[in-house]
Every structure is written in structure tokens, then in C-alpha cells.
Amino acid sequence: MSNEILLGAYVFVLAIWVGNEVISKVPTTLHTPLMSGANAIHGIIVIGAMLVSAAIGGPAGLVLGFFAVVLGTANVVGGFVVTDRMLAMFKQRPGSTGPKK
């Protein structure tokens, strides 16, 4: 096993562990703002996928870039839909005077 593969596997496992530790400690009240921020970051990732697919060239780059952009866009749209539904839970209904029960 080469050193590059070993280093890549080490970084991958460490990223999984750190991500799990960070996400598990997020309070429920911060989930919606963090979700919106993650969607904005993923929008930048979609642009990066477009740039990388253009740089690779050829049919393989076109196919991989297409799938990267489609999956990234689906993640962004789905994230905003979930965020919108979560925020709708906190809106008052017309005619109600108190918090929703």
C-alpha cells in the first residue's frame, strides 16, 4: 500500500470521526441556520464540479461532471425545501393568538 493511499484513508477516517463529533453536539435550535449555511456551501461545490468537469475534458469528464452537478443540485434544492418546511412550523396560523400547539 502506497503512502498516498494510506494518508488518504487516514484523513477520510479522521474526517468521519470529527464530523460525527461536531454534528452530534449541535443543539436543535441551531439546526435550521446551519442547514442554510451548508446549502450555500454546497452551491459553491456545484460550481466547483462544473469547473472540474470542464478541466477534465473528454466523455468521462462530461459524464462525471454531469452526475456531480445533478447530485449537488438535488442536495441544494432538497436542503432548501427541508429548511423551508422547518421554518413553516414556526409561523403562526391566521386567526390564532398564541403559539402553535
Side-chain angles (χ1 to χ4, degrees):
M1 188 180 271
S2 71
N3 286 337
E4 290 179 9
I5 294 174
L6 188 61
L7 180 63
Y10 177 72
V11 168
F12 183 69
V13 170
L14 188 61
I16 290 172
W17 179 73
V18 169
N20 187 37
E21 288 296 316
V22 169
I23 295 298
S24 66
K25 295 187 178 28
V26 172
T28 316
T29 55
L30 290 179
H31 185 268
T32 302
L34 289 176
M35 187 79 178
S36 297
N39 288 333
I41 291 170
H42 206 85
I44 296 169
I45 291 172
V46 170
I47 294 172
M50 290 180 198
L51 294 174
V52 169
S53 67
I56 292 175
L62 183 65
V63 170
L64 289 175
F66 174 76
F67 283 123
V69 170
V70 167
L71 293 174
T73 303
N75 192 14
V76 170
V77 171
F80 280 120
V81 168
V82 168
T83 302
D84 186 51
R85 289 186 70 183
M86 289 175 60
L87 289 174
M89 293 184 337
F90 296 103
K91 291 181 182 174
Q92 284 190 354
R93 294 183 182 164
S96 67
T97 58
K100 191 170 85 171
K101 293 183 182 178

